[in-house]
Amino acid sequence: RGWPVDPAQLAGERASARLDLARALAASGRVDAALALAEEAAGLHPEHAARAHLARAELLLAERRADEARDAARDAAAAVLPHDRALRARIDALLQALER
């Protein structure tokens, strides 16, 4: 498929790569670095912002930082694209769990 040359597509690839690296860092116990990468990914491409905010919310929740996780989940809800119903459902489920 080759490397993307369109700047928007390249930004999307960079956002995905940062989210992949964030998951690996979190698995190795480097949660603060993972959170920083997820936050950076949120600003790289609008189509990946909701996934990045959701990743932050899930990392924060795993660290028992519920208030911050709720804020990140709300950011994800605000950023999710209308056609991405599966992601919207994941975000809504997380928000419902955090509101309890």
Side-chain angles (χ1 to χ4, degrees):
R1 154 180 139 182
W3 288 97
V5 292
D6 175 52
Q9 186 180 359
L10 186 57
E13 295 290 333
R14 288 195 325 250
S16 288
R18 280 169 177 74
L19 290 175
D20 290 343
L21 182 55
R23 278 189 285 278
L25 288 170
S28 69
R30 298 181 57 200
V31 177
D32 288 336
L35 287 167
L37 277 175
E39 188 168 342
E40 184 181 336
L44 288 175
H45 195 282
E47 289 185 15
H48 295 273
R51 282 183 40 232
H53 289 303
L54 179 60
R56 284 186 60 242
E58 291 170 341
L59 288 168
L60 289 162
L61 186 58
E63 291 294 303
R64 294 186 166 88
R65 295 162 59 179
D67 290 338
E68 293 172 86
R70 186 177 306 109
D71 291 342
R74 287 178 180 153
D75 290 342
V80 71
L81 298 174
H83 68 272
D84 202 340
R85 292 187 306 242
L87 184 58
R88 165 74 66 194
R90 284 181 56 203
I91 294 166
D92 288 346
L94 180 59
L95 278 170
Q96 286 178 1
L98 286 166
E99 297 296 333
R100 291 182 198 158

